Amino acid sequence: MYYPKRSQFIYSSEEFVKECISLPPNPIVLAISHSHGQIEVEFVPSTMHLTGHVYSFMNDEKEKVFQLDFKDVVLENASVLLLSSALYSYIAEAYKMAHILDKTIIQSTTYAK
């Protein structure tokens, strides 16, 4: 995933939410490693939206990737509680997808003759 030059990378959900609530001028990226891959969630304060990707590494050469839906959080900016709830909800969705990708089997298209 491509991130703007001045993006700030954070590696804990709690710190990510704290930084997002402060509405910094540059995008913030949450990068969390899990047992079989990585979750990346980006918050862009200037447009108040979230995007994300979930990676599941199959081996050294292959990975499965799921792109999370774009989420507009402009309306949730009315209070700290609403915004933090929206952020945690999006992160929880990323973890659900990570679990699903981990359990997904990719079948080879090469058949034995």
Side-chain angles (χ1 to χ4, degrees):
M1 192 167 163
Y2 166 78
Y3 300 105
K5 260 186 182 178
R6 295 184 211 117
S7 295
Q8 178 182 358
F9 285 83
I10 295 180
Y11 303 96
S12 114
S13 299
E14 294 79 18
E15 286 299 315
F16 176 74
V17 171
K18 285 180 192 175
E19 286 294 320
C20 291
I21 289 171
S22 71
L23 298 176
N26 298 317
I28 303 168
V29 178
L30 171 66
I32 301 175
S33 295
H34 57 87
S35 58
H36 298 287
Q38 186 164 341
I39 294 170
E40 294 176 352
V41 174
E42 179 184 28
F43 175 69
V44 181
S46 61
T47 57
M48 294 298 293
H49 76 269
L50 294 164
T51 58
H53 289 85
V54 178
Y55 299 91
S56 179
F57 305 124
M58 297 169 60
N59 57 37
D60 290 339
E61 299 174 3
K62 295 182 181 181
E63 64 184 28
K64 296 176 270 187
V65 180
F66 181 82
Q67 183 173 349
L68 297 166
D69 289 338
F70 175 92
K71 178 159 177 64
D72 186 351
V73 291
V74 170
L75 298 177
E76 284 82 357
N77 194 29
S79 78
V80 171
L81 182 61
L82 288 174
L83 183 56
S84 63
S85 177
L87 293 167
Y88 278 120
S89 176
Y90 198 80
I91 294 167
E93 189 64 31
Y95 272 107
K96 287 179 195 174
M97 290 313 305
H99 180 71
I100 290 170
L101 280 181
D102 180 41
K103 301 299 180 193
T104 303
I105 297 172
I106 304 296
Q107 185 175 3
S108 174
T109 56
T110 308
Y111 299 102
K113 294 182 180 181

